Amino acid sequence: MALDLKLYDTLTREKREFVPIDPRNVRLYVCGPTVYDFAHIGNARPVIVFDVLFRLLRHIYGESHVTYVRNITDVDDKINARAAERGVDIRQLTNETYENFKSDVAALGCLPPTVEPRATEHIAEMIALIERLIASGHAYVAEDHVLFDVPSMPDYGKLSNRPLDEMVAGARVEVAPYKRSPTDFVLWKPSKPGEPSWTSPAGIKTPGRPGWHIECSAMAWKHLGETFDIHGGGIDLVFPHHENEIAQSRCAFHSDVMANYWMHNGFLQVEGEKMSKSLGNFFTIHELLADWPGEVLRFNMLRTHYRQPIDWTVKGLDESWKTLDDWYWVVGDTTGGTVSGKVLEALADDLNTHQVITVLHQVRNRAQAGDDSARAELAASLRLLGFLNESAAQWAARRQSSPGVDSAKVQSLIDARTAARAARDFKESDRIRDELAAMGVVLKDSKEGTTWEIAR
Ligand code: AMP
Ligand code: ZN
């Protein structure tokens, strides 16, 4: 509890000491996926980063004293289009995609959030917010739409701090004739025939559906209250999504604050380029998991501080895998232990996972030099960070399941080498090691015996 947690707040543009509203219930909201297709590795970044924050908060305040809400956006144009394209029911598409998302992020070592609310199950809350906004003069009805009246909020735009003309030109702001001001945004819109629809608010006759921004204000309100501690997401969400969430929630509740800390992760690019389908460098979490253990993807993500851009490369993944191989091997079957104080310090400094990894290399070296408490520290620290979800034997076995290597033959050669070493026939034992190396097998000798893996 003596840990001095500091978080960078996008709204005040400074790293500030984290003081929860209620330490017995620390409340975190993160914008979740729109469920129409497999999530890509860029989407994995906020999931992993805020999982680390969730774990740190649980460590500091106690497991039952943190509420983490990450929503599911299951009503959206992209969903309608994809369902039509595939000829499947919308609910089937969103359920299927959500199940895939859950298993992908579980494989990345992420804990399930406390609540994963679905937008379509919170329409009543959205309508309640919209009615409040209309009643207080912050929203109006025009051509079966309900729009938020941006000029009605004098300090709109503080989060993104953009000049008004830039906001109007912003790619995701739709200019439409029925808007009083070009910056006004949609809270509710009419549904076209065949699209999901609900009874509209404000006496609008045409059935309709919610805009994207109101979803998050409604779900955060329902599960965390009018004001809560931390709101997170990717940097691309600052404007307009989070700016508009703030406008809706603050104006609906007549409050100065929606969340006390706004945290945003930087963007991920692949091999130095923006990830895009047309460049052929677009990777889903699902397809990467076929080639790399989930913990390797997680580790690779945490090597870079969450606010920096990250360059996702195969070279980085290879290095991440080698480091984890080594740490799994050093940890072995160690259980227990306390988390390294320096690891906690680095995490408390605005989640400096880059520094955490530097510290862990030092702890690993102490452990390898025979310091058993360092070994236990390494184990406990890695567990806090969401690693070591497999036993050392399971982890090592992954390396041995490479196609083209006959593991029975490898084991018999290792046994022959062990026998040669026992007979002090080092010439023969070296010959066998070279024979294995030619097969692409690397040996590791330790007190406990010899293990092996496929060289990469
Ligand atoms: P979306 O489904 O596009 O709304 O994205 C879901 C989450 O992933 C949001 O928090 C985005 O900010 C984040 N995100 C999307 N693309 C990337 C990327 N390339 N790098 C980092 N975060 C991303
Ligand atoms: Zn959101």
Side-chain angles (χ1 to χ4, degrees):
M1 253 324 279
L3 199 63
D4 189 10
L5 175 59
K6 287 201 175 71
L7 298 174
Y8 182 86
D9 175 18
T10 309
L11 186 60
T12 53
R13 289 166 180 77
E14 60 183 359
K15 210 160 34 171
R16 283 191 289 123
E17 190 190 340
F18 176 69
V19 183
I21 298 167
D22 175 3
R24 286 160 312 153
N25 184 18
V26 180
R27 289 164 286 158
L28 166 67
Y29 186 96
V30 175
C31 297
T34 303
V35 282
Y36 65 100
D37 205 345
F38 283 107
H40 60 65
I41 190 64
N43 300 138
R45 194 170 192 195
V47 178
I48 293 172
V49 162
F50 292 106
D51 179 67
V52 171
L53 177 63
F54 181 38
R55 287 169 182 271
L56 177 64
L57 293 171
R58 283 159 51 108
H59 182 83
I60 300 173
Y61 297 97
E63 285 191 9
S64 57
H65 298 298
V66 184
T67 306
Y68 174 21
V69 179
R70 187 183 60 215
N71 73 289
I72 313 283
T73 295
D74 61 351
V75 47
D76 179 86
D77 287 338
K78 288 193 282 268
I79 297 174
N80 301 342
R82 184 60 56 89
E85 204 178 292
R86 284 185 43 194
V88 297
D89 181 62
I90 286 178
R91 188 76 188 184
Q92 186 193 329
L93 174 70
T94 58
N95 282 348
E96 195 181 290
T97 311
Y98 175 37
E99 288 306 317
N100 290 334
F101 177 78
K102 274 202 291 196
S103 67
D104 283 351
V105 302
L108 297 176
C110 298
L111 298 170
T114 322
V115 194
E116 282 186 278
R118 294 179 72 123
T120 52
E121 287 164 12
H122 294 75
I123 302 291
E125 287 79 5
M126 297 179 209
I127 290 183
L129 282 185
I130 292 171
E131 301 276 13
R132 280 184 189 222
L133 290 170
I134 295 173
S136 57
H138 290 291
Y140 60 94
V141 177
E143 296 186 20
D144 288 350
H145 292 69
V146 183
L147 292 136
F148 186 91
D149 186 339
V150 169
S152 77
M153 183 189 189
D155 60 349
Y156 177 87
K158 264 206 207 149
L159 183 72
S160 54
N161 205 14
R162 289 182 170 209
L164 198 68
D165 53 348
E166 228 178 79
M167 288 196 227
V168 176
R172 288 165 94 171
V173 182
E174 201 190 336
V175 180
Y178 48 80
K179 289 185 180 181
R180 285 185 197 160
S181 153
T183 49
D184 293 352
F185 58 89
V186 167
L187 300 172
W188 189 265
K189 58 189 164 192
S191 295
K192 297 191 191 78
E195 287 179 349
S197 65
W198 291 265
T199 303
S200 294
I204 298 170
K205 295 277 180 303
T206 318
R209 59 200 169 107
W212 172 35
H213 316 304
I214 197 72
E215 293 177 13
C216 285
S217 284
M219 288 183 269
W221 173 38
K222 168 82 184 282
H223 299 284
L224 297 176
E226 295 181 3
T227 299
F228 52 95
D229 296 296
I230 306 169
H231 193 313
I235 189 84
D236 58 320
L237 299 185
V238 170
F239 182 83
H241 185 53
H242 289 168
E243 200 71 87
N244 293 350
E245 279 188 39
I246 291 174
Q248 296 160 161
S249 297
R250 282 189 44 206
C251 291
F253 307 127
H254 307 289
S255 69
D256 289 337
V257 176
M258 178 181 187
N260 280 324
Y261 300 80
W262 287 84
M263 294 177 67
H264 294 98
N265 63 270
F267 246 47
L268 174 146
Q269 51 172 23
V270 174
E271 308 283 352
E273 287 186 291
K274 183 170 188 258
M275 184 166 62
S276 84
K277 288 198 172 137
S278 60
L279 287 175
N281 66 354
F282 182 95
F283 298 103
T284 64
I285 303 170
H286 195 74
E287 53 197 5
L288 287 171
L289 284 171
D291 292 335
W292 308 90
E295 289 189 25
V296 168
L297 304 181
R298 182 178 181 91
F299 188 88
N300 202 46
M301 202 66 91
L302 297 177
R303 291 171 76 186
T304 307
H305 186 263
Y306 77 93
R307 283 197 283 124
Q308 300 297 321
I310 183 168
D311 189 21
W312 189 263
T313 63
V314 169
K315 181 168 169 281
L317 286 165
D318 274 334
E319 289 164 2
S320 297
W321 199 343
K322 287 213 178 91
T323 304
L324 279 178
D325 276 347
D326 176 61
W327 290 358
Y328 257 101
W329 179 67
V330 170
V331 165
D333 298 326
T334 311
T335 49
T338 45
V339 179
S340 151
K342 287 208 166 113
V343 164
L344 287 174
E345 246 172 63
L347 282 174
D349 180 17
D350 192 32
L351 298 187
N352 192 343
T353 54
H354 178 82
Q355 175 63 17
V356 165
I357 289 168
T358 305
V359 169
L360 288 180
H361 277 294
Q362 294 159 0
V363 177
R364 177 261 176 224
N365 289 342
R366 273 170 37 223
Q368 194 47 21
D371 178 344
D372 284 338
S373 74
R375 189 188 307 276
E377 227 176 80
L378 180 62
S381 304
L382 285 170
R383 289 201 177 92
L384 171 72
L385 291 161
F387 295 100
L388 303 186
N389 299 305
E390 296 176 13
S391 69
Q394 279 170 326
W395 184 268
R398 288 172 168 280
R399 288 291 207 190
Q400 295 161 0
S401 61
S402 176
V405 172
D406 175 351
S407 51
K409 180 169 177 209
V410 171
Q411 198 52 55
S412 77
L413 283 167
I414 289 177
D415 293 343
R417 177 172 169 269
T418 308
R421 279 167 30 125
R424 307 189 65 76
D425 184 352
F426 296 115
K427 203 167 154 221
E428 174 64 0
S429 81
D430 284 351
R431 190 198 62 74
I432 296 173
R433 194 190 51 216
D434 292 346
E435 184 181 341
L436 283 162
M439 291 163 62
V441 170
V442 189
L443 301 181
K444 279 191 169 181
D445 294 314
S446 73
K447 290 203 295 279
E448 286 78 34
T450 302
T451 57
W452 65 277
E453 64 184 39
I454 306 295
R456 288 183 57 88

